[in-house]
Amino acid sequence: MRLPLLLAALCAVAACGEPAQVSKGGPTEEMGVGFGAPGGYRLAPVADTGSSLTRDFMDLTFAMESGRSLQTFSRFEGPVTVAMTGSVPATASRDLAALLGRLRSEAGIDIAQTSGPAAITVEFTGRSELRRLAPTAACFVVPNVGSLAEFRRKRGTDAVDWALVTRRERAAIFIPADTSPQEIRDCLHEELAQALGPLNDLYRLTDSVFNDDNFHSVLTGYDMAILRLTYSPQIASGMSLAEVAARLGTAPVARSGTSPDWIREIETALGRTGSPAARKAAVIRALALAEAAGWQDNRLAFSHFALGRLMAASDPARAQDAFRRAAGIYSRLPGAELHLAHVDMQIAVLALAGGLPEEAVRLADRAIPVVRRHDNPALLASLMLVKAEALEALGNPAAAAALRMDSAPYARYGFGSEGMVQSRMRKVAAAAESAERG
């Protein structure tokens, strides 16, 4: 989710044995899915707290991203403290404080920041250092350690295997310090949520960060409901799947229902390796698997969306058809408002490149209010830049210049360095130039 699409890795692989940590995937270079948000992000509470929520909770709680099942429920018992160490970025303190406030008020978790030893340590270090330990992850969380040095010593041992944790005492989150403020925020949200609660992601979910499509990367109202259930007094660390199910009044079953073959094809399609031809072939196979399975949820929509992204440069007509098919499904799914805004972003770029600036403006205007509500600066900046190029093409350079200026603070938060901001502007401008060249 560049806005980069954050490809979700199933797990960042440890030195040997099963993956010890859960992770947020690293970025690809393509324009598409956005990050999270700076400060103040809040959605309405989830109204449905019945069987569907408890079923999702079981699926999220008793498995890992790798597909490995978990036999025992675990969480922190009692108050939870969080500390930041290492090269802490300037924006991290504000973003963490806002997140902890939400966890207290919306999820009912007794959690606070401290400056000393903590139950959860957030360590910031260089991206290159983290890539040596978890090449596909943007950031990750490990149990039973309090520092990167301790993780190196315990890496590959039972001590850092989430599947063997029966009660959470300590965990460490590792985040690159040399990345954009918004990616740092993304990592704080997703990794802290997994340090506290579910270790799994489900592609079928729409309104959640617990989904490897990464449309959402800031905790939603649904996610807060899942975390509130995680810390319900009805359940406790050490309970089995059957015991938790009995306490919550749900079936003692935990399965995602998503084919590993489909996941593998999606990851191949959206990964940073592999030839364009191989990636296109993978996404076509993923779509065929989704259709054969009869899915009508986020998984089928995301298959179409991924196909559109990979076909945008070589076959714009096919890409547009894929995006419109994705939009048709998202429009029927609860909690998919932001997904539709992402689709509008993609079609707006196609319209701009195709010499249809009026259509690009219309789509941007439709998406921008949604993105503002979801407080997603990177996606907002990209939409504003697309609209600015369209206004330029329509002969209104003054309005275009004003909009580019207005987009600057969102772009700096979302993309980080001035070089990344300029790169984003050049990519959007290139789309407009391709229309001029005919």
Side-chain angles (χ1 to χ4, degrees), residues 26-167:
T28 69
E29 296 302 319
E30 298 166 19
M31 192 180 233
V33 183
F35 285 115
Y41 178 90
R42 189 184 185 97
L43 288 182
V46 173
D48 177 14
T49 57
S51 61
S52 63
L53 184 70
T54 53
R55 184 181 65 246
D56 291 345
F57 171 81
M58 297 298 290
D59 289 351
L60 286 167
T61 300
F62 284 95
M64 295 183 65
E65 295 174 17
S66 62
R68 186 183 182 189
S69 63
L70 298 175
Q71 303 304 314
T72 306
F73 173 72
S74 69
R75 70 182 184 193
F76 288 95
E77 301 291 344
V80 181
T81 53
V82 181
M84 294 193 295
T85 64
S87 305
V88 181
T91 58
S93 294
R94 180 200 66 186
D95 286 343
L96 178 63
L99 173 56
L100 296 182
R102 287 192 62 206
L103 289 168
R104 287 190 294 267
S105 64
E106 297 178 52
I109 298 174
D110 185 357
I111 189 168
Q113 188 171 354
T114 183
S115 57
I120 301 174
T121 302
V122 182
E123 182 171 339
F124 293 91
T125 189
R127 181 184 292 276
S128 60
E129 178 69 17
L130 296 183
R131 279 183 173 169
R132 284 194 285 271
L133 297 170
T136 63
C139 42
F140 57 96
V141 58
V142 180
N144 297 322
V145 301
S147 68
L148 199 58
E150 186 177 4
F151 174 49
R152 288 194 194 94
R153 293 194 301 270
K154 294 182 176 180
R155 189 178 178 213
T157 71
D158 288 351
V160 293
D161 188 343
W162 278 110
L164 301 179
V165 175
T166 58
R167 174 174 170 148

Side-chain angles (χ1 to χ4, degrees), residues 258-315:
T258 299
S259 161
D261 292 339
W262 180 85
I263 293 174
R264 183 169 55 252
E265 298 294 2
I266 282 290
E267 290 185 334
T268 299
L270 298 177
R272 289 180 291 181
T273 60
S275 67
R279 295 171 66 195
K280 290 176 184 177
V283 78
I284 291 170
R285 289 192 296 269
L287 178 57
L289 287 168
E291 291 175 334
W295 296 331
Q296 294 297 318
D297 57 17
N298 188 62
R299 293 167 293 184
L300 179 60
F302 188 57
S303 300
H304 285 296
F305 183 87
L307 176 64
R309 289 193 39 144
L310 290 175
M311 294 295 177
S314 60
D315 192 344

Side-chain angles (χ1 to χ4, degrees), residues 201-270:
D201 285 315
L202 298 173
Y203 273 107
R204 73 167 186 263
L205 301 179
T206 305
D207 189 19
S208 177
V209 302
F210 298 118
N211 184 330
D212 278 340
D213 67 12
N214 283 306
F215 279 99
H216 285 285
S217 53
V218 173
L219 292 171
T220 67
Y222 172 92
D223 298 324
M224 291 298 180
I226 288 288
L227 289 171
R228 182 175 286 275
L229 192 53
T230 302
Y231 285 83
S232 166
Q234 295 177 274
I235 56 179
S237 293
M239 287 185 174
S240 67
L241 184 153
E243 290 172 323
V244 172
R247 292 291 184 92
L248 299 181
T250 190
V253 177
R255 61 173 67 95
S256 71
T258 299
S259 161
D261 292 339
W262 180 85
I263 293 174
R264 183 169 55 252
E265 298 294 2
I266 282 290
E267 290 185 334
T268 299
L270 298 177

